[in-house]
């Protein structure tokens, strides 16, 4: 499988065409941004880690019954995925209060939520990815009711499976963001990535942050945290 024309360059990945119209190649960069691109930097080795981690977790989730866009890892940074049209919603699941949830609702970071929560953001950089509810999403024709039901079902299944998996690695899955896409026949599949860029992962014993919050919050030790979380994954997957 060879890379064709570049279709798109995002903040953390590039996307290329292939000779098969149903397949694309995603290429992971070391670039990191936060706060809608206001903060920019590089996390050395991040692209390799995010590529390998996302692929390993998607293969794991496929086995547990969650369909994904994953096809084949080509090398350290490049992966073949199914071409999808992305549903323009960021789907966020939370098990523990942190980040914007703590800020919006005045809840201390680290409070275990009585039940996992789901929220949607409208994927639109110009608007700063505002929170949106399911009715808004349907009214704006971002997704149908049936698609939203499917997305919710898969998102909670991902939470259930990944919570268990990370627990076996001594890591607490605090929250994460997913994106879904439609295949050419309309089937909804999990797309984008699952990585320390898109999840909050805390060491279960010490509470140490092993994710992108170290970059967002200028905590230092960013590269080491990415290496450490990858090591834990490789030891247990
Ligand atoms: P938040 O608390 O800032 O809303 O973030 C919730 C989760 O979503 C957290 O695991 C980080 C992830 N996330 C992204 O993947 N992309 C984003 O643009 C933002 C804001 C959060």
């Amino acid at each position: 499988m060879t890379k064709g024309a570049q279709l798109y360059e995002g903040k953390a990945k590039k996307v290329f065409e292939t000779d098969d119209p149903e397949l694309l190649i995603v290429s992971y960069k070391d670039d990191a941004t936060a706060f809608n691109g206001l903060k920019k930097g590089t996390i050395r080795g991040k692209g390799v880690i995010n590529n390998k981690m996302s692929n390993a977790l998607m293969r794991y989730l496929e086995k547990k019954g969650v369909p994904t866009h994953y096809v084949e890892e080509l090398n350290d940074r490049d992966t073949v995925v199914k071409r999808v049209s992305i549903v323009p919603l960021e789907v966020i699941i939370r098990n523990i209060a942190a980040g914007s949830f703590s800020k919006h609702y005045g809840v201390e970071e680290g409070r275990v939520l009585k039940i996992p929560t789901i929220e949607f953001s409208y994927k639109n950089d110009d608007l700063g990815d505002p929170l949106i509810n399911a009715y808004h999403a349907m009214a704006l024709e971002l997704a149908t009711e049936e698609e939203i039901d499917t997305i919710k079902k898969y998102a909670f299944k991902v939470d259930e499976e990944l919570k268990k998996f990370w627990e076996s690695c001594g890591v607490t899955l605090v929250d994460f963001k997913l994106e879904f896409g439609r295949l050419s026949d309309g089937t909804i599949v999990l797309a984008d990535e699952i990585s320390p860029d898109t999840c909050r992962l805390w060491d279960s014993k010490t509470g140490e942050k092993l994710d992108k919050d170290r970059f967002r919050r200028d905590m230092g030790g960013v590269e080491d945290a990415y290496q450490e979380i990858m090591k834990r994954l490789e030891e247990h997957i």
Side-chain angles (χ1 to χ4, degrees):
M1 181 73 51
T2 50
K3 268 187 202 168
Q6 183 175 310
L7 268 187
Y8 172 77
E9 177 161 7
K11 297 188 190 104
K13 299 189 282 297
K14 294 179 184 176
V15 181
F16 297 87
E17 287 187 314
T18 68
D19 42 25
D20 183 334
E22 300 285 333
L23 299 177
L24 300 174
I25 293 174
V26 177
S27 188
Y28 285 75
K29 307 189 286 183
D30 285 351
D31 299 352
T33 65
F35 315 117
N36 201 15
L38 277 179
K39 183 182 171 83
K40 288 191 175 72
T42 302
I43 302 173
R44 241 177 321 113
K46 172 172 88 79
V48 176
I49 287 172
N50 285 10
N51 182 39
K52 289 177 176 290
M53 183 178 294
S54 191
N55 292 342
L57 292 176
M58 291 219 187
R59 287 189 294 261
Y60 184 84
L61 289 168
E62 285 271 359
K63 282 196 216 138
K64 306 288 182 184
V66 180
T68 79
H69 71 165
Y70 174 77
V71 177
E72 184 192 3
E73 189 169 295
L74 289 179
N75 56 50
D76 275 0
R77 288 181 185 269
D78 298 335
T79 291
V80 182
V81 297
K82 293 176 186 162
R83 183 192 280 260
V84 297
S85 120
I86 287 283
V87 176
L89 295 172
E90 298 200 340
V91 180
I92 296 156
I93 297 276
R94 301 180 192 267
N95 298 306
I96 294 180
S100 67
F101 184 96
S102 288
K103 210 164 151 188
H104 286 147
Y105 306 119
V107 183
E108 81 279 12
E109 276 208 342
R111 171 161 155 190
V112 178
L113 301 172
K114 178 82 177 161
I115 56 165
T117 66
I118 189 163
E119 73 206 39
F120 303 107
S121 293
Y122 178 23
K123 245 177 92 66
N124 183 319
D125 281 341
D126 293 338
L127 300 175
D129 298 342
L131 277 172
I132 191 170
N133 71 30
Y135 286 88
H136 297 154
M138 288 187 271
L140 295 175
E141 298 180 277
L142 306 180
T144 65
E145 185 168 16
E146 193 188 349
E147 286 174 334
I148 289 184
D149 286 346
T150 303
I151 287 171
K152 277 200 239 171
K153 182 182 77 179
Y154 289 156
F156 282 118
K157 174 74 173 164
V158 169
D159 186 46
E160 191 186 308
E161 296 299 339
L162 292 191
K163 251 191 316 207
K164 273 190 279 185
F165 171 71
W166 283 117
E167 207 175 284
S168 77
C169 306
V171 170
T172 302
L173 178 61
V174 174
D175 59 29
F176 56 93
K177 184 264 301 180
L178 302 175
E179 294 184 27
F180 291 86
R182 302 176 186 98
L183 300 178
S184 55
D185 68 358
T187 307
I188 293 283
V189 299
L190 181 60
D192 193 51
E193 69 182 271
I194 310 175
S195 73
D197 277 21
T198 61
C199 303
R200 286 195 173 95
L201 299 160
W202 294 354
D203 182 281
S204 306
K205 283 211 185 85
T206 65
E208 189 188 358
K209 296 186 197 308
L210 299 172
D211 58 58
K212 193 178 167 190
D213 268 352
R214 301 198 76 87
F215 169 80
R216 296 189 187 98
R217 302 179 185 191
D218 294 320
M219 297 170 73
V222 184
E223 273 108 3
D224 286 351
Y226 275 71
Q227 300 285 345
E228 173 63 24
I229 196 74
M230 188 62 196
K231 191 178 112 218
R232 301 266 189 110
L233 175 128
E234 281 174 334
E235 283 168 1
H236 293 92
I237 199 115

